């Protein structure tokens, strides 16, 4: 097998956040090319069409004008971001201008690295080929079963699995410098299919891994919906506890309609901190709303927050941990808030 058995998260060479936050420039910017999805997976809020309709959130592709404003706005920060993540709630390849989005970001001079995540339904040469050619650095491919029947059961979609495998092979042969990462939730497949997963994809990607499901979505009970109990983290690590969310100190998210969320897990739009159609990225990053949320976490009050208190990302998904440094970071954040106010 050519691929490394390695999770999609990069654990090597991570910055010690306590030494650099509060940051003037975010490390990671999530931008959602499309808030809609062609699958209805049980573990994901976007897959519950009625639930999403009740939130009133925008369902569709991000306009290129909004996207252009986002990328141009990166020039306001004193440094470059580290990563542009072109995914959040939906399926990125449903935005037919995804290749243009990658190309525009690369040509801007503000974005050194771009990745995306796809369910693979639209992973045909005509759609993914131009995206790779535009300069995509990594694509994470989510496999949701090893047979057509498993896909129907889990995603409510009649998936041509054999064609999907052929498309993955084509992508690997034409990937250039783009890294191909393939992962599957272990709960979806049988014990025998675990080896079949490696045999099927192991020679056609750079990194491969069998993950666990995790209750990462706030206010969305994955365990009840799937009828399982999680006994390990998403990357098979022990379940831990983190009181201070590190993500809100180094990342922010822009939804498909331009609304800014403090967290990439904000599927219900309850952590809004601005709107790129009205404010600059830098204004949003330093906004009172964003800083108030950060301060709440640093003061150990996450459990009082109606959304953050229910987040399983911090216990099951192997984040950085700044709990031991939270008290020391309070005056640093207060000083930054005074400076930008």
């Amino acid at each position: 097998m050519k691929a490394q058995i390695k999770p999609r998260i990069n654990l090597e060479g991570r910055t010690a956040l306590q030494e650099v936050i509060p940051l003037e420039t975010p490390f990671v910017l999530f931008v959602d090319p499309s808030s809609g999805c062609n699958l209805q997976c049980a573990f994901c809020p976007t897959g519950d069409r009625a639930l999403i309709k009740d939130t009133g959130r925008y369902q569709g592709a991000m306009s290129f004008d909004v996207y252009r404003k986002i990328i141009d706005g990166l020039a306001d920060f004193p440094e470059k971001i580290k990563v542009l993540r072109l995914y959040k709630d939906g399926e990125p390849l449903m935005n037919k201008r995804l290749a243009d989005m990658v190309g525009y970001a690369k040509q801007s001079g503000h974005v050194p690295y771009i990745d995306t995540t796809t369910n693979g339904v639209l992973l045909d040469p005509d759609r993914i080929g131009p995206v790779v050619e535009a300069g995509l650095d990594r694509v994470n491919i989510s496999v949701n079963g090893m047979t057509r029947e498993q896909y129907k059961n889990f995603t409510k979609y009649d998936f041509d699995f054999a064609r999907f495998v052929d498309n993955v092979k084509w992508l690997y042969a034409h990937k250039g410098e783009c890294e191909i990462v393939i992962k599957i939730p272990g709960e979806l497949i049988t014990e025998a299919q675990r080896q079949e997963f490696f045999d099927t994809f192991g020679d056609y990607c750079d990194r491969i891994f069998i993950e666990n499901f995790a209750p990462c979505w706030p206010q969305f009970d994955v365990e009840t919906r799937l009828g399982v109990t999680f006994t390990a983290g998403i990357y098979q690590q022990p379940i831990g506890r983190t009181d201070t969310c590190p993500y809100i100190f180094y990342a922010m998210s822009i939804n498909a309609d331009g609304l800014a969320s403090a967290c990439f897990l904000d599927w219900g739009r309850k952590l809004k901190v601005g709107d790129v159609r009205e404010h600059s990225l830098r204004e949003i990053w330093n906004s009172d709303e964003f800083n108030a949320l950060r301060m709440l976490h640093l003061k150990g009050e996450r459990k009082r927050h109606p959304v953050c208190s229910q987040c399983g990302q911090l216990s099951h998904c192997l984040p950085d941990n700044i709990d031991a440094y939270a008290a020391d970071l309070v005056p640093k954040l207060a000083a930054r808030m005074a400076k930008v106010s």
Side-chain angles (χ1 to χ4, degrees):
M1 185 171 72
K2 296 178 182 178
Q4 288 182 290
I5 299 178
K6 186 178 181 181
R8 56 196 155 109
I9 190 171
N10 291 322
L11 299 178
E12 306 86 3
R14 295 183 73 82
T15 300
L17 293 175
Q18 67 273 12
E19 297 177 4
V20 297
I21 57 178
L23 292 167
E24 291 191 58
T25 304
F27 285 164
V28 180
L29 178 65
F30 287 84
V31 174
D32 200 10
S34 171
S35 59
C37 187
N38 37 23
L39 301 184
Q40 298 181 62
C41 301
F43 78 94
C44 176
T46 299
D48 189 328
R49 304 286 168 80
L51 179 69
I52 295 303
K53 185 177 181 180
D54 286 344
T55 69
R57 88 179 193 197
Y58 169 74
Q59 288 292 91
M62 174 177 281
S63 79
F64 201 76
D65 286 341
V66 170
Y67 178 76
R68 187 185 293 113
K69 186 177 187 297
I70 294 168
I71 299 304
D72 292 349
L74 290 171
D76 295 335
F77 290 112
E79 300 175 12
K80 293 181 181 180
I81 62 171
K82 293 181 181 292
V83 181
L84 173 64
R85 300 224 140 101
L86 289 177
Y87 62 92
K88 182 178 178 286
D89 295 317
E91 168 53 46
L93 286 169
M94 290 183 71
N95 189 320
K96 295 182 179 180
R97 297 202 66 179
L98 185 62
D100 294 331
M101 297 173 84
V102 172
Y104 189 81
K106 280 289 185 174
Q107 295 163 18
S108 72
H110 308 314
V111 179
Y113 189 93
I114 305 174
D115 64 17
T116 192
T117 295
T118 176
N119 59 36
V121 171
L122 299 173
L123 198 74
D124 59 78
D126 290 341
R127 188 69 67 93
I128 192 63
V131 179
V132 172
E133 291 176 8
L136 186 68
D137 293 288
R138 186 170 83 168
V139 56
N140 304 301
I141 303 172
S142 300
V143 181
N144 294 307
M146 290 300 296
T147 67
R148 197 165 193 159
E149 290 70 28
Q150 286 175 328
Y151 266 85
K152 282 183 180 179
N153 181 56
F154 181 68
T155 72
K156 299 181 182 179
Y157 187 85
D158 187 12
F159 191 58
D160 190 339
F161 186 76
R163 182 166 177 255
F164 167 62
V165 173
D166 287 340
N167 286 338
V168 170
K169 292 178 179 180
W170 182 93
L171 174 60
Y172 186 72
H174 297 84
K175 72 185 187 72
E177 298 300 315
C178 182
E179 182 183 21
I180 311 298
V181 180
I182 298 183
K183 48 92 171 180
I184 193 171
E187 294 92 340
L188 290 182
I189 54 178
T190 66
E191 199 63 35
Q193 285 178 321
R194 287 175 172 254
Q195 187 57 51
E196 182 185 352
F197 169 67
F198 290 123
D199 293 342
T200 301
F201 297 105
D203 285 332
Y204 304 102
C205 59
D206 302 292
R207 198 185 301 193
I208 192 168
F209 201 75
I210 297 177
E211 297 182 353
N212 295 322
F213 278 124
C216 55
W217 304 101
Q219 301 181 325
F220 185 82
D221 191 344
V222 180
E223 288 184 303
T224 298
R225 285 170 176 263
L226 292 177
V228 299
T229 299
F230 302 121
T231 58
I234 190 171
Y235 305 115
Q236 302 171 10
Q237 81 282 8
I239 296 172
R241 173 179 171 175
T242 307
D243 291 325
T244 311
C245 176
Y247 298 110
I248 57 177
F249 291 92
Y250 70 81
M252 70 172 172
S253 304
I254 310 300
N255 299 300
D257 57 356
L259 288 175
S261 289
C263 176
F264 65 97
L265 295 170
D266 183 27
W267 63 271
R269 306 300 185 264
K270 296 182 179 180
L271 294 172
K272 292 180 288 187
V273 289
D275 188 330
V276 296
R277 295 165 295 187
E278 301 175 5
H279 311 285
S280 71
L281 288 178
R282 192 171 186 181
E283 288 173 334
I284 295 169
W285 180 246
N286 294 307
S287 66
D288 291 342
E289 296 88 345
F290 214 153
N291 280 327
L293 183 64
R294 293 172 179 134
M295 188 63 80
L296 179 143
H297 277 251
L298 289 179
K299 290 183 175 180
E301 299 176 354
R302 177 174 73 87
K303 292 294 186 180
R304 291 177 48 205
H305 194 281
V307 178
C308 297
S309 61
Q310 299 185 46
C311 179
Q313 184 79 6
L314 303 184
S315 56
H316 289 69
C317 299
L318 210 65
D320 305 284
N321 194 321
I322 57 173
D323 284 355
Y325 311 96
D328 294 333
L329 292 171
V330 168
K332 291 183 179 180
L333 179 58
R336 173 61 57 80
M337 292 168 67
K339 183 178 179 181
V340 300
S341 61

